[in-house]
Amino acid sequence: MSNTGFPNSEDTELRHEQEFIDGLYVRVDALRGHTEDSVTDALAQGNTPMQARLERDILVAERSGLLAALNAVDGSLCFGRIDLNSGVTHHIGRIGLRADDAERTPILIDWRADVARPFYLATGHTPMGLRRRRHISTEGRRVTALHDEILDLGDQERTGHEDPTGDAVLLAALNSARTGRMSDIVRTIQAEQDEIIRAPHRGVLVVEGGPGTGKTAVALHRAAYLLYEHRELLARRAVLIVGPNPAFLGYIGQVLPSLGETGVLLATVGELFPGVKATKADTPEAAAVKGRAEMADVLADVVRDRQALPDPVITIEHDREILMLDDGLVRVARERTRAAKLQHNAAREHFEGHILNALTELYAERVGTDPYDGSNMLDASDITQIRDELAENPEVWSAIDQLWPRLTPQRLVADFLAAPEGYVGEEDAAAIRRPVTRAWTVADVPLLDEAAELLGEDDRMARARAERERENQIAYAQGVLDVSYASRTYEFEDKEDSDPESSEVLSAHDIIDAERFAERHEEDDHRSAAERAAADRTWAFGHIIVDEAQELSPMAWRLLMRRSPTRSMTLVGDPAQTAEAAGVGSWSGILEPYVEDRWEHTRLGVNYRTPAEIMDVAAAVVRAEHPGFEPPSSVRSTGVRPWARATDDLPGAVAKAVGELTPTEGRLAVIAPRDLHRSLAARLDGVTAGAEPDLTRTVVLLDPRQAKGLEFDSVLVVEPARYGTSDLYVALTRATQRLGVLHTGELPKTLADAFL
């Protein structure tokens, strides 16, 4: 029988695999309700010892992840089988399932388990104990095809489903229509990808790869593997995945849930400061200035300048006496406070103390000196009383607020951007200057984070807020207990010969007081680690994965390194695709300030996305600028050459080309400069300009930066002469099948030569 098409009921192998899959789903359907109950029961457990709560959190993570996977994977719960020379057979799937017997016998092996590795690594030269590897294709719960690879050439058994090349499943996945959402690659992980996915999680691993090499998919599957392999650590600390834009995060958002993992926070740099969600972009010039490492020193200078001196004096009236804070007195207080080397807001308490002491000395000298012999008439208790009275004087606090104000990161950065002169050069100041009322941009977020590090928090205010919150919780708890007691009293009064005071029936009042009742509810934080991390700027993640890492600015790297004190990171990118003016662009430039040369580098060299015909055109563009450039090798060819056309009616030509390129299945991207989007969208049905693109629509309109990391069946590149080399390279390498180019003027010479 052919190894494609729908199963024949007479085919023993297909029937056997169908029976196995049917049995799996009987188990899965039973688990769905059990899983929901387990999560609910675990969450209901409160007031448990710390270790028990940790085990509960891990259980919830595992059960929630299992439930997410079960809900997401009807089509490919099991995708493979390995037959060992020993006669043992293992089925491989996206999650692990065990029988209910006493031995908890494995039914389905999780793809991340060590025993599953031969499914990805075994070859005819290195069979790793396998005689056969089987890929199982399904539609829904129905087995549609088997693809067998014979690894022990001495094995004479044949099933009729042999795949001579072993590439049928991979090529089918590569040629399948895109849906606007990234799919997992657990069925087709290649050996070079598996090595990266399972690399140790400690330290910094750099994964470099050109377009289509699967580096994003590898990074996501690495996250899933690390969560499986280091469950206890990462269930507590969570994994952070940083992507280049919201559209990209939406594109990859279903991969990890489909693999059973939910303990992950996906975010852009613009979302990594709690309370701020920045999506707007600066001009390239402004982003470059804000992204420089020198901005850390600039903001430090801004903070120091807020620690002011009087000009020339500040007068304070106290008990009919005029006290003067002059430059010399305040300068001494400021230098003593700075010597403590505390953050600005945390140091304010010290400054307050120095100023109060100085004012106390001034006042004591004024009122406590004997006019006849100049002796001091005040004792220690008098001095203490004077200081306490000064601490109640509003003019004192007004002066302190003027000289050492409490500052928020938002206020500090907004004030600086409104008047950057004196801190940066004239040209840079003109690039970043803006009104205070403007919304935050992505490049502002690292500045906000830096400001937060410099300012810190006056923990007296935090403690006061916490105490007020605690008092409110206790008051609420007391109200609940009072209602409970009143209800019980009413119940007994409604019955003859009942005495609520002597009854043996206990109420909540009898066994718990309001304070303990409030503590019980305070302890139960049902948020996941990822949810808690999103709300906590100081959170230290168990592992951080950064996609398009070459694009991040030095200031953005300062932000991320604060979130990874252990430097457990996976960085994914391609320096050849660096487009942001603020991007570091080289791995050594990114990492040397933090880990020097203590990082590992690996490269993915095979292009699974882009057909050879398209890759030849894209590579020619880069090679014209960098003659030594070597693109990744494409694994397939479609026989369809890209085309380029000139036009005098760009919107009309785009509309016509979209009609020609739009696939019957899959997705088409029109990649054009942002200022053309409105006119192009007007000619394209269902396409809007200005909003975040919905990648699940058949046709989407993007600019080159929005297209980074994405892939489509067909791509139409508009006005390529307006792109830089990096942006053009990105735009040309998004297609899996067909590529067209439309232009009104001359094509860039490098691109024109590539089409000859």
Side-chain angles (χ1 to χ4, degrees):
M1 174 180 171
S2 168
N3 63 351
T4 60
F6 291 92
N8 186 322
S9 60
E10 299 301 319
D11 189 298
T12 303
E13 292 293 328
L14 279 166
R15 188 170 64 251
H16 172 77
E17 297 298 356
Q18 185 64 64
E19 290 171 354
F20 177 80
I21 297 292
D22 289 342
L24 276 184
Y25 279 104
V26 169
R27 173 79 172 146
V28 164
D29 290 339
L31 269 175
R32 277 195 168 95
H34 173 67
T35 303
E36 290 171 343
D37 291 343
S38 297
V39 174
T40 302
D41 291 346
L43 289 175
Q45 298 175 28
N47 195 27
T48 57
M50 183 174 296
Q51 182 60 33
R53 290 211 310 276
L54 171 59
E55 292 171 357
R56 180 200 69 187
D57 290 344
I58 294 172
L59 170 65
V60 170
E62 290 175 337
R63 291 295 194 180
S64 297
L66 178 60
L67 183 61
L70 295 179
N71 287 338
V73 300
D74 276 351
S76 55
L77 182 60
C78 173
F79 52 79
R81 194 183 86 184
I82 51 177
D83 299 350
L84 280 65
N85 287 322
S86 63
V88 174
T89 295
H90 295 301
H91 280 85
I92 312 298
R94 64 184 60 248
I95 58 174
L97 291 173
R98 294 179 177 271
D100 288 328
D101 55 27
E103 291 77 21
R104 300 286 291 153
T105 305
I107 301 173
L108 185 66
I109 302 297
D110 192 299
W111 66 276
R112 298 165 287 190
D114 283 343
V115 72
R117 289 205 77 182
F119 183 78
Y120 301 109
L121 299 182
T123 66
H125 293 292
T126 311
M128 301 178 70
L130 300 191
R131 67 181 185 88
R132 182 187 307 272
R133 171 170 47 214
R134 167 170 288 176
H135 293 269
I136 303 172
S137 298
T138 58
E139 289 183 5
R141 301 187 178 195
R142 187 182 185 194
V143 178
T144 59
L146 307 178
H147 304 265
D148 288 346
E149 297 175 65
I150 305 301
L151 299 173
D152 180 359
L153 299 181
D155 184 358
Q156 299 301 309
E157 181 184 348
R158 295 295 180 267
T159 65
H161 297 278
E162 281 71 31
D163 176 1
T165 67
D167 292 333
V169 173
L170 174 62
L171 291 175
L174 298 179
N175 285 311
S176 63
R178 269 45 190 173
T179 65
R181 292 288 181 264
M182 178 180 276
S183 300
D184 64 72
I185 59 168
V186 287
R187 299 173 67 232
T188 60
I189 292 171
Q190 303 300 293
E192 66 170 355
Q193 296 171 331
D194 186 82
E195 293 290 341
I196 296 170
I197 289 168
R198 297 173 189 264
H201 86 288
R202 296 290 185 186
V204 178
L205 174 66
V206 172
V207 183
E208 183 178 332
T213 54
K215 54 189 179 295
T216 296
V218 167
L220 294 172
H221 288 70
R222 176 163 168 73
Y225 172 76
L226 294 177
L227 285 160
Y228 172 86
E229 188 71 8
H230 306 282
R231 177 73 63 191
E232 182 173 339
L233 169 65
L234 297 183
R236 295 195 310 269
R237 303 310 312 166
V239 172
L240 171 64
I241 297 179
V242 180
N245 55 59
F248 175 84
L249 295 182
Y251 176 65
I252 68 172
Q254 293 304 310
V255 173
L256 287 167
S258 76
L259 298 175
E261 298 302 343
T262 58
V264 177
L265 175 63
L266 277 69
T268 65
V269 169
E271 297 169 319
L272 290 177
F273 190 85
V276 171
K277 186 173 183 179
T279 58
K280 294 182 179 297
D282 278 293
T283 64
E285 296 78 14
V289 174
K290 292 178 182 180
R292 293 174 191 159
E294 292 80 6
M295 289 302 297
D297 294 331
V298 168
L299 289 175
D301 289 341
V302 174
V303 171
R304 289 175 68 86
D305 283 351
R306 297 302 188 272
Q307 299 163 2
L309 296 173
D311 183 21
V313 296
I314 297 176
T315 60
I316 295 171
E317 182 178 352
H318 183 72
D319 197 20
R320 296 187 298 277
E321 294 289 339
I322 300 299
L323 307 177
M324 290 188 294
L325 287 173
D326 60 21
D327 180 281
L329 188 151
V330 175
R331 189 182 298 276
V332 170
R334 186 176 71 172
E335 294 310 311
R336 288 177 177 175
T337 302
R338 287 176 175 175
K341 298 188 181 303
L342 297 173
Q343 296 162 302
H344 173 87
N345 288 331
R348 177 177 157 121
E349 184 175 4
H350 291 254
F351 185 76
E352 293 169 2
H354 291 309
I355 293 297
L356 283 170
N357 289 342
L359 290 172
T360 299
E361 289 181 15
L362 287 175
Y363 186 81
E365 184 178 355
R366 186 82 54 81
V367 302
T369 302
D370 189 304
Y372 298 104
D373 60 13
S375 62
N376 190 342
M377 300 183 297
L378 304 176
D379 59 21
S381 63
D382 295 326
I383 298 297
T384 300
Q385 183 178 347
I386 291 170
R387 194 181 191 279
D388 291 343
E389 289 172 352
L390 281 165
E392 297 294 326
N393 188 332
E395 292 189 25
V396 172
W397 293 106
S398 177
I400 291 173
D401 288 339
Q402 179 181 338
L403 299 169
W404 198 288
R406 291 189 181 93
L407 297 171
T408 66
Q410 291 88 336
R411 178 62 184 274
L412 185 81
V413 174
D415 287 350
F416 161 65
L417 294 176
E421 296 80 3
Y423 295 104
V424 297
E426 185 177 334
E427 186 175 335
D428 291 345
I432 66 176
R433 187 189 305 110
R434 70 161 191 238
V436 172
T437 55
R438 185 177 171 183
W440 298 112
T441 68
V442 174
D444 291 335
V445 168
L447 303 186
L448 291 169
D449 199 72
E450 188 72 30
E453 283 293 302
L454 293 166
L455 296 176
E457 186 175 357
D458 187 340
D459 64 355
R460 291 173 299 167
M461 299 177 66
R463 290 198 306 267
R465 284 197 301 270
E467 184 58 31
R468 286 195 301 271
E469 178 62 25
R470 176 176 170 76
E471 290 172 356
N472 291 337
Q473 289 176 341
I474 291 173
Y476 174 78
Q478 186 64 57
V480 171
L481 293 174
D482 289 344
V483 170
S484 171
Y485 181 75
S487 298
R488 186 177 70 113
T489 302
Y490 177 79
E491 178 184 342
F492 279 101
E493 287 176 348
D494 198 40
K495 300 177 181 179
E496 292 185 7
D497 303 323
S498 294
D499 180 4
E501 298 299 330
S502 61
S503 170
E504 296 180 357
V505 179
L506 295 177
S507 72
H509 250 296
D510 299 312
I511 59 176
I512 191 169
D513 60 19
E515 185 171 354
R516 184 62 187 139
F517 188 55
E519 288 175 357
R520 169 176 287 183
H521 288 273
E522 190 177 280
E523 290 171 358
D524 287 336
D525 186 348
H526 295 164
R527 294 176 300 168
S528 68
E531 290 169 332
R532 295 196 300 273
D536 185 353
R537 193 192 68 81
T538 63
W539 190 273
F541 287 91
H543 194 79
I544 295 179
I545 293 174
V546 186
D547 205 309
E548 303 293 350
Q550 77 282 349
E551 302 287 8
L552 270 59
S553 71
M555 288 300 292
W557 283 112
R558 287 177 65 88
L559 178 155
L560 286 177
M561 291 299 175
R562 292 186 191 107
R563 272 95 170 141
S564 182
T566 62
R567 303 296 189 259
S568 178
M569 308 178 83
T570 302
L571 311 185
V572 179
D574 179 13
Q577 297 183 62
T578 304
E580 296 292 342
V584 177
S586 74
W587 303 122
S588 59
I590 291 169
L591 294 171
E592 282 181 1
Y594 303 100
V595 297
E596 297 179 341
D597 61 352
R598 300 186 302 275
W599 49 281
E600 299 293 329
H601 178 273
T602 187
R603 183 175 178 83
L604 293 167
V606 179
N607 187 332
Y608 299 100
R609 175 206 302 144
T610 317
E613 294 84 356
I614 296 176
M615 200 64 215
D616 288 344
V617 171
V621 171
V622 181
R623 200 174 283 124
E625 191 171 306
H626 304 284
F629 174 71
E630 287 297 329
S633 302
S634 296
V635 299
R636 63 196 177 96
S637 173
T638 62
V640 179
R641 288 283 301 169
W643 53 260
R645 297 175 192 159
T647 180
D648 293 328
D649 175 17
L650 193 61
V654 168
K656 181 181 178 182
V658 165
E660 296 171 356
L661 287 172
T662 301
T664 54
E665 291 184 294
R667 301 294 180 269
L668 164 69
V670 178
I671 302 178
R674 180 64 67 92
D675 62 338
L676 297 179
H677 282 198
R678 190 173 300 278
S679 62
L680 297 181
R683 299 291 295 272
L684 301 174
D685 292 340
V687 175
T688 57
E692 278 297 327
D694 180 357
L695 299 178
T696 64
R697 300 187 69 88
T698 302
V699 179
V700 295
L701 182 59
L702 307 167
D703 65 34
R705 306 293 171 89
Q706 289 176 308
K708 291 183 77 70
L710 308 181
E711 61 181 36
F712 304 89
D713 299 271
S714 302
V715 170
L716 181 64
V717 177
V718 179
E719 295 289 48
R722 295 180 53 185
Y723 304 163
T725 299
S726 175
D727 281 342
L728 183 55
Y729 183 53
V730 169
L732 294 172
T733 54
R734 300 304 97 193
T736 65
Q737 301 294 337
R738 297 186 293 173
L739 171 68
V741 176
L742 282 173
H743 57 100
T744 55
E746 294 293 325
L747 275 178
K749 185 178 186 306
T750 55
L751 191 56
D753 291 345
F755 278 110
L756 292 178

PDB file of all heavy atoms in Angstrom, residues 280-291:
ATOM      1  N   LYS A 280       4.357  52.010  20.617  1.00  0.00           N
ATOM      2  CA  LYS A 280       4.760  53.012  19.630  1.00  0.00           C
ATOM      3  C   LYS A 280       6.267  52.974  19.427  1.00  0.00           C
ATOM      4  O   LYS A 280       7.027  52.646  20.333  1.00  0.00           O
ATOM      5  CB  LYS A 280       4.333  54.407  20.093  1.00  0.00           C
ATOM      6  CG  LYS A 280       2.824  54.605  20.154  1.00  0.00           C
ATOM      7  CD  LYS A 280       2.481  56.025  20.569  1.00  0.00           C
ATOM      8  CE  LYS A 280       0.979  56.236  20.612  1.00  0.00           C
ATOM      9  NZ  LYS A 280       0.368  56.069  19.276  1.00  0.00           N
ATOM     10  N   ALA A 281       6.670  53.323  18.206  1.00  0.00           N
ATOM     11  CA  ALA A 281       8.096  53.348  17.875  1.00  0.00           C
ATOM     12  C   ALA A 281       8.588  54.783  17.767  1.00  0.00           C
ATOM     13  O   ALA A 281       7.860  55.677  17.346  1.00  0.00           O
ATOM     14  CB  ALA A 281       8.347  52.613  16.561  1.00  0.00           C
ATOM     15  N   ASP A 282       9.822  55.004  18.168  1.00  0.00           N
ATOM     16  CA  ASP A 282      10.478  56.294  17.963  1.00  0.00           C
ATOM     17  C   ASP A 282      10.967  56.397  16.524  1.00  0.00           C
ATOM     18  O   ASP A 282      10.974  55.413  15.771  1.00  0.00           O
ATOM     19  CB  ASP A 282      11.692  56.402  18.892  1.00  0.00           C
ATOM     20  CG  ASP A 282      11.310  56.828  20.299  1.00  0.00           C
ATOM     21  OD1 ASP A 282      10.864  57.965  20.463  1.00  0.00           O
ATOM     22  OD2 ASP A 282      11.470  56.003  21.212  1.00  0.00           O
ATOM     23  N   THR A 283      11.403  57.571  16.147  1.00  0.00           N
ATOM     24  CA  THR A 283      12.160  57.692  14.904  1.00  0.00           C
ATOM     25  C   THR A 283      13.450  56.898  15.069  1.00  0.00           C
ATOM     26  O   THR A 283      13.929  56.685  16.201  1.00  0.00           O
ATOM     27  CB  THR A 283      12.501  59.156  14.607  1.00  0.00           C
ATOM     28  OG1 THR A 283      13.378  59.638  15.647  1.00  0.00           O
ATOM     29  CG2 THR A 283      11.243  60.012  14.539  1.00  0.00           C
ATOM     30  N   PRO A 284      14.039  56.419  13.981  1.00  0.00           N
ATOM     31  CA  PRO A 284      15.309  55.686  14.111  1.00  0.00           C
ATOM     32  C   PRO A 284      16.374  56.490  14.851  1.00  0.00           C
ATOM     33  O   PRO A 284      17.155  55.926  15.632  1.00  0.00           O
ATOM     34  CB  PRO A 284      15.713  55.422  12.653  1.00  0.00           C
ATOM     35  CG  PRO A 284      14.419  55.400  11.908  1.00  0.00           C
ATOM     36  CD  PRO A 284      13.555  56.424  12.593  1.00  0.00           C
ATOM     37  N   GLU A 285      16.403  57.799  14.618  1.00  0.00           N
ATOM     38  CA  GLU A 285      17.403  58.641  15.282  1.00  0.00           C
ATOM     39  C   GLU A 285      17.179  58.677  16.790  1.00  0.00           C
ATOM     40  O   GLU A 285      18.128  58.548  17.579  1.00  0.00           O
ATOM     41  CB  GLU A 285      17.359  60.062  14.712  1.00  0.00           C
ATOM     42  CG  GLU A 285      17.736  60.173  13.248  1.00  0.00           C
ATOM     43  CD  GLU A 285      16.618  59.748  12.303  1.00  0.00           C
ATOM     44  OE1 GLU A 285      15.462  59.618  12.760  1.00  0.00           O
ATOM     45  OE2 GLU A 285      16.893  59.555  11.104  1.00  0.00           O
ATOM     46  N   ALA A 286      15.907  58.850  17.206  1.00  0.00           N
ATOM     47  CA  ALA A 286      15.612  58.899  18.637  1.00  0.00           C
ATOM     48  C   ALA A 286      15.880  57.556  19.295  1.00  0.00           C
ATOM     49  O   ALA A 286      16.431  57.484  20.405  1.00  0.00           O
ATOM     50  CB  ALA A 286      14.162  59.323  18.853  1.00  0.00           C
ATOM     51  N   ALA A 287      15.487  56.460  18.638  1.00  0.00           N
ATOM     52  CA  ALA A 287      15.720  55.132  19.210  1.00  0.00           C
ATOM     53  C   ALA A 287      17.210  54.869  19.381  1.00  0.00           C
ATOM     54  O   ALA A 287      17.635  54.266  20.384  1.00  0.00           O
ATOM     55  CB  ALA A 287      15.087  54.068  18.318  1.00  0.00           C
ATOM     56  N   ALA A 288      18.015  55.314  18.415  1.00  0.00           N
ATOM     57  CA  ALA A 288      19.458  55.104  18.514  1.00  0.00           C
ATOM     58  C   ALA A 288      20.042  55.853  19.704  1.00  0.00           C
ATOM     59  O   ALA A 288      20.881  55.321  20.443  1.00  0.00           O
ATOM     60  CB  ALA A 288      20.137  55.545  17.214  1.00  0.00           C
ATOM     61  N   VAL A 289      19.601  57.093  19.929  1.00  0.00           N
ATOM     62  CA  VAL A 289      20.108  57.876  21.066  1.00  0.00           C
ATOM     63  C   VAL A 289      19.677  57.238  22.381  1.00  0.00           C
ATOM     64  O   VAL A 289      20.495  57.047  23.294  1.00  0.00           O
ATOM     65  CB  VAL A 289      19.604  59.334  20.985  1.00  0.00           C
ATOM     66  CG1 VAL A 289      20.003  60.106  22.247  1.00  0.00           C
ATOM     67  CG2 VAL A 289      20.157  60.030  19.743  1.00  0.00           C
ATOM     68  N   LYS A 290      18.415  56.902  22.489  1.00  0.00           N
ATOM     69  CA  LYS A 290      17.912  56.323  23.742  1.00  0.00           C
ATOM     70  C   LYS A 290      18.529  54.963  24.046  1.00  0.00           C
ATOM     71  O   LYS A 290      18.613  54.559  25.211  1.00  0.00           O
ATOM     72  CB  LYS A 290      16.390  56.183  23.665  1.00  0.00           C
ATOM     73  CG  LYS A 290      15.649  57.498  23.637  1.00  0.00           C
ATOM     74  CD  LYS A 290      14.148  57.261  23.517  1.00  0.00           C
ATOM     75  CE  LYS A 290      13.372  58.559  23.446  1.00  0.00           C
ATOM     76  NZ  LYS A 290      11.910  58.337  23.319  1.00  0.00           N
ATOM     77  N   GLY A 291      18.942  54.247  23.002  1.00  0.00           N
ATOM     78  CA  GLY A 291      19.466  52.907  23.214  1.00  0.00           C
ATOM     79  C   GLY A 291      20.922  52.831  23.590  1.00  0.00           C
ATOM     80  O   GLY A 291      21.410  51.773  23.977  1.00  0.00           O
TER      81      GLY A 291
END
